[in-house]
Amino acid sequence: MTTSASVSTDPEGAIPRDSTVTDRLVHANERYASAFADPGMDARPVLRVAVVACMDARLDLHAALGLELGDCHTIRNAGGVVTDDVIRSLTISQRKLGTRSIVLIHHTGCGLEAITEDFRTELEMEVGQRPAWAVEAFRDVDQDVRQSMQRVRTSPFLLHADDVRGFVFDVKTGLLREIDPA
């Protein structure tokens, strides 16, 4: 596994001390692009699957699921929660780009288990405007996976809701645990 601490610091890959993280990312992209070859793919995922997962930096979805570039659509947000915007992306993924299966992945130790919907009120007090979006905080990760599966299965916009499965990724072991939708 590559981490920030293990990124090359050789002279060619060196970044000046006064650079920002974004500068570091842009520099890394320049190195990547110098050896890049167009893989000749289109936007349709080879495996016809869309994966919805938490944005947590500990989840390396491609490695954990044995996926290669072009295999799937990946949709990530805080908690991996199925929100209206996730339904929007899944609808486009299915109706315009051919996906048929949906995999939902939450994980152990999620930050959304440690906050509440009061976060919206706190933001309103701080910035003077209440967010239009829900935090989607939860206490029971298994139940939240079930809720997300139900949101997918009952969406009128999705053509294919028969192959929807939900999992909890254990950040300590790397294993997926399937959640029974019942």
Side-chain angles (χ1 to χ4, degrees):
M1 176 171 84
T2 302
T3 63
S4 295
S6 63
V7 172
S8 172
T9 56
D10 59 49
E12 184 178 316
I15 307 256
R17 286 195 176 283
D18 59 346
S19 294
T20 67
V21 171
T22 304
D23 292 334
R24 178 178 173 181
L25 299 177
V26 170
H27 185 71
N29 173 257
E30 290 167 356
R31 288 192 314 268
Y32 170 80
S34 70
F36 183 78
D38 179 358
M41 301 174 175
D42 73 14
R44 296 176 180 272
V46 173
L47 298 179
R48 298 173 65 168
V49 63
V51 178
V52 178
C54 185
M55 66 185 190
D56 192 296
R58 297 172 289 181
L59 277 66
D60 182 349
L61 293 174
H62 276 74
L65 301 175
L67 296 168
E68 300 293 329
L69 182 67
D71 281 349
C72 73
H73 283 161
T74 306
I75 303 160
R76 295 180 80 154
N77 68 17
V81 177
V82 174
T83 61
D84 286 345
D85 194 57
V86 168
I87 294 294
R88 170 188 160 271
S89 293
L90 289 172
T91 301
I92 293 166
S93 178
Q94 284 190 353
R95 290 179 176 263
K96 296 299 182 184
L97 297 165
T99 60
R100 298 291 179 263
S101 301
I102 299 172
V103 174
L104 306 173
I105 302 177
H106 285 37
H107 66 92
T108 58
C110 185
L112 284 186
E113 293 175 290
I115 63 176
T116 67
E117 293 298 319
D118 290 339
F119 180 64
R120 293 174 71 218
T121 303
E122 294 167 13
L123 284 172
E124 181 180 19
M125 298 299 288
E126 181 182 328
V127 302
Q129 182 178 340
R130 187 173 187 84
W133 39 262
V135 175
E136 297 279 355
F138 53 86
R139 294 282 174 253
D140 181 338
V141 68
D142 291 18
Q143 182 54 36
D144 203 66
V145 172
R146 283 186 201 94
Q147 176 176 292
S148 288
M149 284 191 282
Q150 184 65 17
R151 286 178 178 174
V152 168
R153 288 190 171 125
T154 60
S155 172
F157 305 110
L158 298 173
L159 296 171
H160 307 283
D162 53 322
D163 188 11
V164 178
R165 292 172 65 186
F167 301 85
V168 174
F169 177 87
D170 187 314
V171 297
K172 301 279 189 218
T173 68
L175 290 172
L176 289 175
R177 177 173 50 82
E178 189 157 9
I179 302 301
D180 184 348

